[in-house]
Amino acid sequence: MEYNQKQLSILESAEKLFASHGFHATSVRDIAHEAGVNIAMISYYFGSKEKLIEAIFLKRIITWKATLTETLSDATRSYVDRLDTLVEQFVQRIMSNPCFNLMMMRAQIQSDIAVNELIHENKKEAYEVIHAFISEGQEKGVFTRNVDVMMMVATLTGTTNHIMSTRHHFQRMSNLEHLTDSELQEYLIIHTSNHLKNLFKAILIHEA
C-alpha cells in the first residue's frame, strides 16, 4: 500500500514510541502528539492502535520478503554469493531500522499483542525461504548436510539484534568512543556482516 506523507509521519512516530515505551504504554494521544496530527486523523487513516501497529509490520514485512526471495532465487549468482548477500542485507536492515526491530523484540515477548501471530507467520515464511535455498545448495553439493537451519537463522537474528540493541556498550568495550553515531553504524554493519558470513561459511562449506 502507498502511504501519503501524513500517514508515513504517523507510522514513523508510532514505531518510535512503541519501540521506546511498548505497545500498551503508548496511547493514540501520544502518537498524535509525536506526529503533530489530531487523534481523529489517526482514527480516519488506521482505525485503531491495533490496526496501526499491524500497518507498521506489514509495511516492513512485505519489503523484506520481496528482497529475501529475490536475492536467494537469483540463479545467475553462486550459492555462496547469495548467502553473503543475504547476511549483508539482513544486517543492514536491522542496523538501519533500530526502532522497528526494538518494537518487534518487545512485541514477540508480549503474547497479547495482536501482531504476534503476524510476526510468527512472517518468521516462518522467511525461514522456509532460507531453508529451501540451503536444501537446494545441499542437493547441488555446495553446502554440507546435517545443518541446523533453524539455529542458523536464530544466530543471524540474535547476533544482529543484540549488537543493534547494545551498540553503545559494544562501542565502549571495543574502544570505539571516537566514532560518531553514523561511523559506528557503518562499522557495526561491516563488522557484524563479516563475522556472520565467515561463521555460516564455516558451518555450511567445511566439514566439522
Side-chain angles (χ1 to χ4, degrees):
M1 178 180 177
E2 293 295 325
Y3 292 107
N4 62 39
Q5 196 53 51
K6 281 291 186 185
Q7 289 170 307
L8 289 172
S9 178
I10 292 168
L11 290 170
E12 289 166 6
S13 297
E15 186 173 285
K16 176 182 175 182
L17 292 173
F18 290 151
S20 59
H21 303 307
F23 177 76
H24 294 303
T26 300
S27 68
V28 175
R29 186 178 298 278
D30 295 331
I31 297 167
H33 181 266
E34 181 73 24
V37 301
N38 58 52
I39 294 175
M41 184 174 289
I42 295 179
S43 179
Y44 173 75
Y45 282 133
F46 299 101
S48 66
K49 192 170 71 167
E50 287 73 18
K51 290 295 183 182
L52 179 54
I53 194 172
E54 182 178 307
I56 294 170
F57 275 95
L58 286 173
K59 178 174 174 287
R60 297 288 190 188
I61 286 169
I62 290 170
T63 303
W64 170 239
K65 281 164 62 175
T67 300
L68 177 65
T69 302
E70 181 180 359
T71 296
L72 296 187
S73 63
D74 185 0
T76 65
R77 303 167 64 191
S78 72
Y79 286 93
V80 173
D81 188 31
R82 280 179 274 173
L83 177 68
D84 282 350
T85 302
L86 162 65
V87 172
E88 291 167 1
Q89 289 173 334
F90 184 83
V91 173
Q92 175 79 41
R93 171 177 170 265
I94 297 296
M95 298 290 186
S96 300
N97 299 288
C99 284
F100 173 72
N101 290 291
L102 287 171
M103 184 182 74
M104 177 176 273
M105 290 166 67
R106 277 180 173 273
Q108 288 179 96
I109 60 175
Q110 294 179 292
S111 59
D112 59 332
I113 295 180
V115 292
N116 213 278
E117 188 61 28
L118 180 63
I119 295 172
H120 173 74
E121 289 303 316
N122 170 63
K123 290 167 73 76
K124 180 181 176 183
E125 289 175 15
Y127 167 78
E128 288 171 349
V129 171
I130 295 171
H131 187 276
F133 165 72
I134 291 176
S135 294
E136 185 179 300
Q138 291 171 326
E139 292 298 322
K140 299 289 186 180
V142 178
F143 298 144
T144 57
R145 301 283 182 174
N146 301 318
V147 174
D148 192 331
V149 180
M150 184 68 76
M151 288 305 297
M152 280 188 59
V153 173
T155 300
L156 174 64
T157 56
T159 300
T160 309
N161 276 311
H162 176 73
I163 296 296
M164 178 273 295
S165 60
T166 62
R167 56 192 296 160
H168 293 298
H169 292 293
F170 186 93
Q171 183 180 28
R172 291 172 62 189
M173 292 175 68
S174 302
N175 297 315
L176 298 172
E177 289 93 337
H178 61 284
L179 297 181
T180 65
D181 279 348
S182 60
E183 290 171 338
L184 176 64
Q185 177 168 301
E186 183 179 359
Y187 173 86
L188 291 177
I189 289 171
I190 295 171
H191 193 67
T192 306
S193 295
N194 287 340
H195 170 74
L196 289 168
K197 286 189 288 186
N198 290 334
L199 176 63
F200 292 152
K201 279 183 277 194
I203 293 171
L204 284 166
I205 298 174
H206 305 296
E207 293 288 345

